[in-house]
């Protein structure tokens, strides 16, 4: 018998219509130009074009992976996955960043080999393909940046870094063509490819680092645990806050759990105090998913000597 679960006061899924539309448009455009650039790279014998075509192939894979992640993130929680599938998009983002790093290392290796074993480059065709690529990547970068303004999504961020790398590669190819044409130095092509590879590697590292912080359940960068605990302790009847945990499920989805020691002699209703704490956390810090456990000095046999100092 199929079971339905409706026990969440905070929805553990994302409805990301803008992100889905953006990724579909980006995927179609990128797939088409990947084929064009790969053929152009072979015909012109340009390492810069070939490396960029492989980079764009990784973009296609990354975009597909991001679309799968967004699909799973929109699914409802189940009895087994009570947080839903939100973490899938973080795993996808980490893999996208790893792909960027691997591609940059491959480009670097190929550039070194091209320096050792130089090959002539057909600058005319190289310029045409690179110019088209520059226009395509500018359009895709603008689309992704606008999408990020509407919906903050780590997979859109990783896709944006992919296309920034492509945009820089296109600029590099055009610069290489002009310099090769006027100087005749073929080595300019692999040297510029190496510079672009370093930039791509930096973007991949940044994406992996951000995803790793979430996977390691670290405190969101914009939140301070000491400040939050101090604010919680300032609420009437609250003696202490401990067993405090704050982490990210995914981008903009945070969870907090804590034990709250209350002064049972004050005569105030404990749940009224908990409601005050929840409002404080939601209104001031945007923490809508909180789990607060009540503790009383007498009932829980806590160290009263310690808490007498607090009072």
């Amino acid at each position: 018998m199929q079971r339905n679960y409706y026990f969440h006061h905070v929805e553990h899924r994302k409805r990301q219509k803008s992100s889905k539309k953006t990724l579909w448009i980006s995927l179609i455009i990128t797939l088409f130009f990947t084929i064009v650039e790969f053929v152009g790279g072979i015909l012109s014998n340009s390492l810069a074009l070939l490396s960029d075509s492989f980079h764009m192939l990784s973009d296609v894979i990354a975009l597909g992976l991001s679309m799968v992640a967004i699909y799973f993130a929109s699914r409802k929680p189940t009895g087994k996955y009570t947080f839903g599938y939100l973490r899938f998009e973080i795993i996808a983002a980490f893999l996208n960043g790893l792909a960027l790093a691997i591609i940059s290392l491959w480009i670097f290796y190929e550039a070194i080999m091209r320096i050792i074993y130089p090959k002539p480059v057909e600058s005319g065709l190289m310029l045409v393909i690179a110019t088209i690529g520059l226009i395509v990547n500018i359009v895709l970068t603008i689309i992704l940046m606008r999408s990020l303004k509407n919906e903050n999504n780590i997979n859109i961020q990783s896709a944006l870094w992919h296309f920034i790398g492509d945009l820089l590669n296109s600029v590099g190819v055009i610069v290489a063509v002009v310099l090769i044409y006027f100087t005749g130095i073929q080595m300019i092509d692999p040297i510029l490819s190496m510079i672009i590879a370093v930039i791509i590697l930096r973007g991949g590292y940044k994406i992996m680092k951000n995803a790793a912080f979430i996977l390691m359940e670290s405190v969101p960068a914009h939140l301070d645990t000491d400040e939050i605990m101090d604010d919680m302790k300032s609420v009437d009847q609250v003696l202490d806050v401990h067993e405090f945990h704050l982490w990210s499920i995914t981008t903009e989805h945070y969870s907090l759990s804590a034990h709250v020691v209350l002064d049972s002699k004050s005569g105030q209703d404990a749940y009224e105090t908990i409601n005050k704490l929840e409002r404080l956390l939601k209104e001031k810090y945007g923490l809508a998913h909180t789990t607060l456990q009540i503790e009383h000095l007498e009932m829980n046999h806590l160290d009263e000597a310690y808490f007498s100092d607090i009072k």
Side-chain angles (χ1 to χ4, degrees), residues 217-262:
E217 299 188 341
S218 64
V219 175
H222 67 288
L223 296 174
D224 185 288
T225 55
D226 290 334
E227 180 185 351
I228 296 173
M229 292 178 70
D230 286 342
D231 280 344
M232 292 176 69
K233 291 176 185 178
S234 67
V235 174
D236 291 340
Q237 197 186 3
V238 176
L239 297 178
D240 190 51
V241 177
H242 59 275
E243 290 297 326
F244 183 95
H245 300 284
L246 174 59
W247 70 99
S248 299
I249 302 301
T250 184
T251 52
E252 296 187 334
H253 277 239
Y254 313 120
S255 286
L256 181 150
S257 68
H259 291 196
V260 182
V261 182
L262 301 181

Side-chain angles (χ1 to χ4, degrees), residues 177-191:
V177 171
V178 174
L179 293 177
I180 290 171
Y181 178 80
F182 285 105
T183 66
I185 302 174
Q186 302 291 323
M187 196 177 295
I188 293 173
D189 181 42
I191 290 175

